[in-house]
Structure formats: structure tokens, C-alpha cells
Amino acid sequence: MQFDLTDLRLFVATAELGNLTRAAERQHLSLAAASARIKALETQAGLQLLTREARGVRLLPQGEAFLHHARLVLHQTDRLRDELLAYGGGLRGHLRVFANTTAVTDFLPELLPAFLAAHPRINVDLQEKPNAQIPRGVLEGRADIGIVAGNVDTLGLEAIHFSTDRLVLVTSRQHRFARRKRIAFAETLDEDAVGMAQGSTLQAFLTQITEHLGRRQKLRIQLGSFDAMCRMIGSGVGIGVVPESAARRNQQGMQLALIELSDDWCVRERYLLVRERASLPTYAKALVEALCEHYAQVDKLDVG
């Protein structure tokens, strides 16, 4: 089969919009030309891919499969174009990473400078995504590497465990919980809280937990980083749940108390997701190895 890229883009637009007329407009085609292209595409595929309905179009099961592969082809084509343009400017690689909030705001800013210094001709496109969306991005080729934590459907991707993430309750040292060694998250919900910005992976996760409990956090302020959260918590604005690494980094400077959460979900395993580790570009393998080696050294120091 030999498919035209314009036809593939038209098909993806039609599937996303559910309407051939609007897809034709997006692709700057007449409706007649767009319809003819879709029919030619189905002839090439040897199957009907979508069905026309009164309010638009609906993908058939074989159309869903075609859509998945069309997106992969288009993403790879876009990546080829971008990387060739980058090579013209002296770049040798472009690495796309989808990661959750903790990765983007907590540990990658610490690890990526050394990686980028060691690979001066590599660019990294780092995007924060909810845990549940990251595997799909890797599977569809929109990201080379995904970083997730907790119980996530990996969609059959290769999952590489590299560290364990623990969430803790953080308070000011004057707070009534400060002398507690352990506490259940449900006990904290009557207190004013400091949270991450709406849409962050951690805040979405805690919202699910509170909804399951039939409660809500009493959020006074929501911020864009764990360090900013710790600053507010240390000032007595409220309490908050943050990764232990961020809490310990700010513990002395912000005069914080760290309390262990008794909930099972507070311990979350972290994984790197890839389509196939062996087929990754050399520089992508280098980032995977850098993350795994860093946390292997951290574990040795903790044991020591």
C-alpha cells in the first residue's frame, strides 16, 4: 500500500472532528476533493474505514486501527522533518519526553542539566502530562520516553522501573500535626490545604482520592511547583501532600515537619515507558541509563 501524506492528514482530521466538511476546511480542500480522497484511501486499504451519518462520520473498527497507524506515520514524518532541519543547524538529535508533575517539577530539573551538558547536540522537548495520558503518547509516537508513577495502564509498552516515589504530609513546625509520626490522609481533610495547580498529575490524583472518600480538600492556594508549595506551608498557610524528595530538600530552609502517610497509595513506583528499549536512538538510551544509574546511586547512599 502506498498512502499519500495529505490523505492521511485528512483522514486523521476527519476522525478527530467527526465531520468531513470541517476536516476539508482544516486541510484547505473542497468538500468534493476531500470526499474523493477518502474514497481513494479506502480503495487503497481495501476496506471501508468510516461510515457517513446525518451529523457527520463515525469510524468503523478497522478505521480505528487505521487511525492509530496513520498517526504514527504522520508523527514519524514530522519528526523526520524536524530532525533534518535541526541537523542543518548542527543538532544531532531531538528527544521528546512526556512526564508527570513530579518528574517535570522535582527531579528532572536536577538531572537534565548534566545530561544536556554531556550531549550538547541533543534537544529535549519535555511536556507535563497526566499519568493516564503518557502511555498513549508513547504508543502513538508523540513521545520517545514516558515517565509515570503509580498504578498506570502501560498499554503493552516496555516499562523500566527506576525508583520509588513516596508522598508525605508536610506542615509547618507549629502545626498541631507536626509532632505526629504517621497520619491517614482522611484525617487531614478538615485542615486548610496548599495544593498544586489544577491539571497537575498530583492534584488530579488527590482529587480522585478525596472524591472516593466523599470529601474535598480545603484548598486555600494552588501553585505551580513543590518548592512554592513548601514555602507556603512553612509560612503557615496550610498543609500539603508532596513527594518526600521535595519535602526533604526544603525541610530545613522552610522549617517544615514531615509526617508519614499511612495510606497504601502514598508509595508509588516510578517507570520509564518506551515502545522498545533496544530500538531507541543512542541519546534516548543515554537518558534512560542516566536516570536508572542516578537512582541506583541514591539507593546505595540510602542503604549506607
Side-chain angles (χ1 to χ4, degrees):
M1 297 181 187
Q2 295 183 351
F3 296 110
D4 184 274
L5 293 178
T6 300
D7 292 347
L8 294 182
R9 290 192 177 94
L10 174 64
F11 183 82
V12 171
T14 302
E16 291 176 347
L17 297 171
N19 186 288
L20 184 57
T21 301
R22 290 196 298 166
E25 291 173 355
R26 177 190 282 187
Q27 299 303 117
H28 307 292
L29 296 169
S30 69
L31 179 58
S35 182
R37 281 181 174 273
I38 292 294
K39 287 179 180 177
L41 195 63
E42 291 178 316
T43 300
Q44 275 265 35
L47 291 166
Q48 183 181 352
L49 301 174
L50 47 81
T51 183
R52 283 76 173 170
E53 298 181 339
R55 296 186 178 181
V57 298
R58 177 175 57 85
L59 289 185
L60 297 170
Q62 57 267 30
E64 294 283 358
F66 189 92
L67 175 64
H68 168 70
H69 290 285
R71 281 174 168 158
L72 284 176
V73 170
L74 292 174
H75 284 309
Q76 288 299 108
T77 301
D78 291 342
R79 182 180 177 186
L80 172 62
R81 180 199 61 215
D82 293 344
E83 289 198 8
L84 287 178
L85 289 172
Y87 281 129
L91 194 69
R92 290 185 179 175
H94 187 82
L95 182 57
R96 298 160 305 162
V97 180
F98 283 5
N100 62 12
T101 303
T102 304
V104 171
T105 63
D106 190 36
F107 64 84
L108 284 179
E110 177 186 352
L111 298 176
L112 282 179
F115 174 81
L116 291 169
H119 301 83
R121 295 191 177 183
I122 303 300
N123 276 358
V124 175
D125 175 11
L126 175 62
Q127 296 185 38
E128 180 180 344
K129 300 284 184 181
N131 269 314
Q133 294 181 17
I134 293 170
R136 179 63 60 185
V138 177
L139 185 65
E140 293 179 352
R142 290 179 286 122
D144 303 294
I145 297 172
I147 302 177
V148 298
N151 186 19
V152 178
D153 183 355
T154 61
L155 304 179
L157 295 167
E158 186 172 347
I160 305 162
H161 180 268
F162 69 97
S163 72
T164 299
D165 177 29
R166 181 183 293 275
L167 298 173
V168 297
L169 181 72
V170 179
T171 74
S172 70
R173 292 184 181 175
Q174 290 72 45
H175 194 275
R176 66 190 185 94
F177 288 156
R179 294 185 180 181
R180 296 278 297 270
K181 291 185 177 181
R182 207 160 187 258
I183 194 169
F185 179 64
E187 292 183 61
T188 73
L189 295 178
D190 289 330
E191 302 293 316
D192 288 335
V194 175
M196 283 291 285
Q198 197 70 29
S200 74
T201 308
L202 178 58
Q203 199 57 47
F205 175 72
L206 291 177
T207 298
Q208 289 180 345
I209 297 296
T210 53
E211 287 177 351
H212 180 72
L213 293 170
R215 305 280 299 282
R216 293 181 65 182
Q217 280 186 294
K218 296 170 62 177
L219 290 167
R220 292 201 65 199
I221 188 169
Q222 292 177 262
L223 301 157
S225 74
F226 296 124
D227 290 345
M229 280 184 66
C230 289
R231 189 173 297 113
M232 287 289 177
I233 293 167
S235 298
V237 173
I239 64 176
V241 174
V242 300
E244 186 176 18
S245 55
R248 293 202 179 281
R249 183 171 63 245
N250 290 283
Q251 186 173 11
Q252 295 306 319
M254 306 296 175
Q255 297 293 294
L256 303 174
L258 278 59
I259 301 99
E260 179 185 347
L261 288 166
S262 60
D263 306 82
D264 292 340
W265 50 257
C266 75
V267 177
R268 304 190 299 169
E269 303 302 330
R270 289 173 176 160
Y271 295 92
L272 295 161
L273 302 182
V274 297
R275 289 184 295 281
E276 187 179 357
R277 185 171 183 173
S279 64
L280 286 174
T282 302
Y283 50 85
K285 290 179 183 176
L287 180 58
V288 170
E289 291 166 3
L291 277 166
C292 292
E293 289 174 5
H294 172 81
Y295 281 99
Q297 291 299 318
V298 168
D299 289 344
K300 286 182 181 177
L301 290 173
D302 289 343
V303 171

